[in-house]
Amino acid sequence: MKRILLILAALATWQQWDRIEPLLGLNPPVQSQARTGEVILYATSWCGYCAKTRSFLAERGIPYRELDIEKSTDGRRAYEALGGRGVPVIDVKGTVIHGYDPQGILAAY
């Protein structure tokens, strides 16, 4: 019985590690990396919605910096710190937008 409880506790800890880790102070939370007026697109090369976001930003003349979360370690770390669970994630001047959301991008910009 003790083994089962220990296994369940370990499983629960593993599943909630992203919430537990900041409490332990092991990795301080990463704040928005966007500088004043900057837009950062966290994306992948194969994502269709990432391509739509690139096109949307280009059509509107909105300058942005792109980080490929599969190729950039720093990009991946920042993406995860922003709660990334899918792509694209857009950091618009400190406002984080998950997914392709043209109205959200314009409102934040």
Side-chain angles (χ1 to χ4, degrees):
M1 184 65 163
K2 289 181 182 179
R3 287 184 183 174
I4 292 172
L5 290 176
L6 182 60
I7 291 170
L8 289 175
L11 181 61
T13 301
W14 178 72
Q15 288 179 331
Q16 300 299 320
W17 187 249
D18 58 330
R19 294 181 184 182
I20 295 170
E21 191 174 31
L23 297 174
L24 298 176
L26 299 177
N27 279 334
V30 177
Q31 298 299 319
S32 170
Q33 291 195 350
R35 292 170 279 208
T36 304
E38 185 175 33
V39 176
I40 302 175
L41 171 62
Y42 297 93
T44 61
S45 59
W46 51 265
C47 168
Y49 285 108
C50 298
K52 288 179 90 170
T53 302
R54 284 184 205 100
S55 296
F56 176 80
L57 294 171
E59 288 169 4
R60 303 293 183 295
I62 298 173
Y64 67 96
R65 180 167 52 116
E66 182 173 347
L67 294 173
D68 188 319
I69 64 167
E70 294 180 328
K71 296 177 182 173
S72 168
T73 305
D74 291 335
R76 181 66 180 202
R77 191 174 301 124
Y79 161 83
E80 289 172 352
L82 293 173
R85 296 286 185 250
V87 284
V89 171
I90 307 107
D91 186 345
V92 182
K93 301 179 185 180
T95 300
V96 179
I97 300 167
H98 296 270
Y100 177 66
D101 182 3
Q103 289 78 22
I105 294 169
L106 290 176
Y109 191 67

